[in-house]
């Protein structure tokens, strides 16, 4: 790819896509035979490893990803290893809306439900194929699989429980050095086709000078309030709370672009970000990056039975605003976070299980 404008660095490699091709999600459609295999896998696993929302499942189901259909495994491994696409979509997991029962009104109810067990098993197996699924002691009582649903009273929050407020682009847990490599969202219900929004850093065009500024430790990312809020409620004496409060009060300056200079990774969460005081150059570069991310954004309405996977180092994601119903028919997604190397995530603050980090 070449450009006539010398100030715009559009020469980033396309990582295997045809030159100039936008980074659309790679897609995979499960066929009837594969669906039968998936059903057999869910039946076989049943209760042997316990619930996939609990960390012990992953200690026991060490090789269970072998039960996934071969074509799906190839697709997911290629996605992981090539890094060609910042996101991908798998369609065709069975979901029986009737058997699910009503969308719970709160994640506290949802974590005890088991009506979506098959979907949780498939989500867990896909996560195991990509790496090490993990959870946060600070979120949904350490559940590895979380529930995304609108909560009454949280309409304006920047979290998976909001609705009326646009959920701004963010890197998942962007403030945290141990954030996930992959974010998986499995659709159970989405009657108004409310879109998740994804923007790939591969599509962003920026002046070289802006890229250089964004690659310097000139930015502060504070923890989103959800982490601190849930831990203060569930475990006010938790030893990680002072650390989280320090991350909020005195965040360490960090870079927004990092990794390969020609094909960088990205870390951003604008509503929780500042530049160092008076650094107008960094602020302007950040604004231009945000504008670019908005320019290249894509809507992806995660439908029942679809799985959206976002590479948390290559794409930011958010969600359009919508009006919640609170009548049992609301949008409901299952969410899993995956590390490529859980060893890297061990911080010494986990109390119960190393897979549940802080
Ligand atoms: O609801 C969505 O589509 C995305 C939610 C989200 O960003 C999250 O829970 O991290
Ligand atoms: Fe998110």
């Amino acid at each position: 790819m070449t450009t006539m404008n010398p100030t715009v660095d559009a020469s980033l490699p396309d990582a295997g896509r045809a030159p100039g091709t936008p980074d659309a999600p790679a897609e995979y459609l499960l066929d009837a035979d594969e669906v039968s295999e998936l059903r057999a896998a869910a039946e076989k696993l049943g209760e042997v490893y316990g619930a996939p929302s609990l960390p012990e499942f992953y200690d026991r189901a060490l090789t269970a990803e072998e039960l996934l259909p071969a074509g799906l495994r190839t697709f997911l491994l290629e996605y992981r290893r090539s890094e060609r696409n910042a996101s991908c979509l798998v369609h065709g997991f069975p979901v029986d809306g009737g058997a699910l029962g009503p969308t719970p009104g709160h994640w506290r109810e949802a974590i005890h439900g088991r009506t979506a067990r098959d979907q949780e098993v498939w989500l867990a197996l896909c996560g195991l194929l990509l790496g090490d699924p993990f959870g946060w002691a600070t979120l949904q009582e350490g559940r590895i699989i979380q529930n995304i649903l609108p909560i009454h009273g949280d309409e304006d929050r920047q979290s998976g429980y909001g609705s009326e407020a646009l959920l701004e682009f963010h890197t998942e847990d962007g403030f945290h050095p141990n954030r996930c490599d992959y974010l998986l969202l499995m659709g159970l219900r989405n009657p108004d086709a409310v879109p998740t929004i994804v923007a790939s850093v591969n599509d962003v065009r920026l002046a070289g000078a802006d890229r250089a500024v964004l690659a310097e430790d000139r930015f502060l990312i504070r923890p989103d309030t959800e982490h601190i809020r849930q831990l203060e409620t569930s475990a006010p004496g938790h030893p990680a709370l002072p650390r989280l409060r320090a991350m909020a009060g005195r965040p360490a300056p960090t870079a927004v672009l990092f990794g390969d200079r020609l094909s960088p990774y990205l870390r951003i969460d604008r509503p929780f970000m500042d530049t160092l005081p008076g650094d107008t150059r960094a602020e302007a570069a950040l604004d231009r990056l945000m504008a670019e991310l908005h320019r290249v954004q894509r809507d992806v309405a995660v439908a029942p039975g679809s799985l959206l996977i976002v590479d948390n180092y290559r794409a930011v994601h958010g969600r359009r605003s919508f009006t919640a119903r609170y009548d049992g028919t609301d949008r409901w997604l299952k969410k899993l976070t995956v590390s490529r190397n859980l060893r890297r995530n061990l911080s010494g603050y986990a109390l119960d299980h190393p897979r549940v980090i802080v």
Side-chain angles (χ1 to χ4, degrees):
M1 199 197 305
T2 56
T3 175
M4 300 309 289
N5 180 348
T7 66
V8 174
D9 177 5
S11 60
L12 300 180
D14 283 312
R17 291 185 310 281
T21 312
D23 184 4
E27 298 199 53
Y28 189 87
L29 180 60
L30 295 160
D31 67 24
D33 289 341
E34 292 175 314
V35 166
S36 304
E37 284 183 62
L38 287 168
R39 287 194 197 277
E43 197 164 320
K44 178 164 180 195
L45 293 183
E47 294 296 325
V48 266
Y49 301 130
S53 58
L54 297 176
E56 292 76 19
F57 178 95
Y58 302 88
D59 300 335
R60 299 172 187 142
L62 293 177
T63 58
E65 80 227 27
E66 290 169 359
L67 298 174
L68 288 174
L72 175 59
R73 269 187 286 149
T74 302
F75 173 78
L76 293 176
L77 286 176
E78 242 180 67
Y79 166 71
R80 180 190 194 275
R81 294 192 180 142
S82 74
E83 299 196 33
R84 201 175 295 133
N85 299 96
S87 62
C88 73
L89 274 164
V90 181
H91 304 286
F93 292 97
V95 176
D96 175 350
L100 280 181
T103 303
H106 199 283
W107 59 260
R108 263 190 219 96
E109 286 165 47
I111 60 178
H112 299 298
R114 44 158 304 135
T115 57
R117 176 61 68 87
D118 287 359
Q119 290 77 22
E120 290 190 347
V121 166
W122 300 324
L123 182 58
L125 298 187
C126 292
L128 278 166
L129 195 74
L130 293 170
D132 300 313
F134 71 96
W136 295 90
T138 45
L139 297 177
Q140 298 198 8
E141 295 175 10
R143 290 305 190 280
I144 308 293
I145 293 180
Q146 302 194 4
N147 292 274
I148 305 298
L149 35 78
I151 295 181
H152 190 55
D154 280 3
E155 288 80 0
D156 295 323
R157 277 193 181 272
Q158 286 292 314
S159 83
Y161 318 125
S163 49
E164 295 293 339
L166 166 80
L167 178 54
E168 265 287 359
F169 278 146
H170 58 280
T171 298
E172 192 68 9
D173 305 309
F175 73 97
H176 206 294
N178 300 339
R179 64 198 175 279
C180 63
D181 290 279
Y182 301 104
L183 169 75
L184 284 69
L185 295 173
M186 166 86 79
L188 298 182
R189 184 170 280 150
N190 194 356
D192 301 316
V194 175
T196 303
I197 322 167
V198 180
S200 166
V201 69
N202 298 337
D203 287 341
V204 159
R205 292 167 63 111
L206 283 174
D210 278 348
R211 287 185 184 272
V213 169
L214 290 164
E216 288 172 2
D217 292 336
R218 293 165 75 159
F219 304 88
L220 309 175
I221 313 182
R222 297 193 163 76
D224 61 74
T225 41
E226 200 56 38
H227 278 273
I228 296 179
R229 183 170 77 132
Q230 285 196 27
L231 199 60
E232 275 173 342
T233 312
S234 65
H238 199 292
L241 257 179
R243 178 171 181 245
L244 281 171
R245 290 194 184 115
M247 283 176 160
R250 287 176 281 109
T254 186
V256 169
L257 298 181
F258 61 100
D260 190 311
R261 192 178 59 82
L262 295 179
S263 182
Y265 296 131
L266 157 91
R267 174 184 194 182
I268 190 168
D269 193 351
R270 192 67 181 100
F272 298 95
M273 271 177 93
D274 286 309
T275 53
L276 294 170
D279 193 350
T280 51
R281 181 71 192 81
E283 189 150 7
L286 190 60
D287 287 345
R288 283 192 281 272
L289 172 58
M290 279 302 284
E292 271 298 288
L293 291 169
H294 279 118
R295 182 180 68 80
V296 304
Q297 69 188 2
R298 289 166 187 277
D299 279 359
V300 182
V302 181
S306 289
L307 169 65
L308 169 65
I309 304 178
V310 177
D311 183 333
N312 200 37
Y313 277 57
R314 293 235 177 243
V316 290
H317 66 282
R319 189 216 61 243
R320 301 255 175 233
S321 62
F322 66 104
T323 297
R325 305 164 169 223
Y326 303 130
D327 63 354
T329 66
D330 267 316
R331 181 176 189 263
W332 184 12
L333 312 180
K334 292 276 176 180
K335 164 174 161 180
L336 180 70
T337 46
V338 172
S339 165
R340 281 173 74 120
N341 177 3
L342 194 61
R343 293 180 177 190
R344 193 189 61 195
N345 305 48
L346 302 178
S347 68
Y349 284 86
L351 292 185
D352 300 321
H353 193 288
R355 201 176 281 280
V356 182
I357 68 167
V358 188

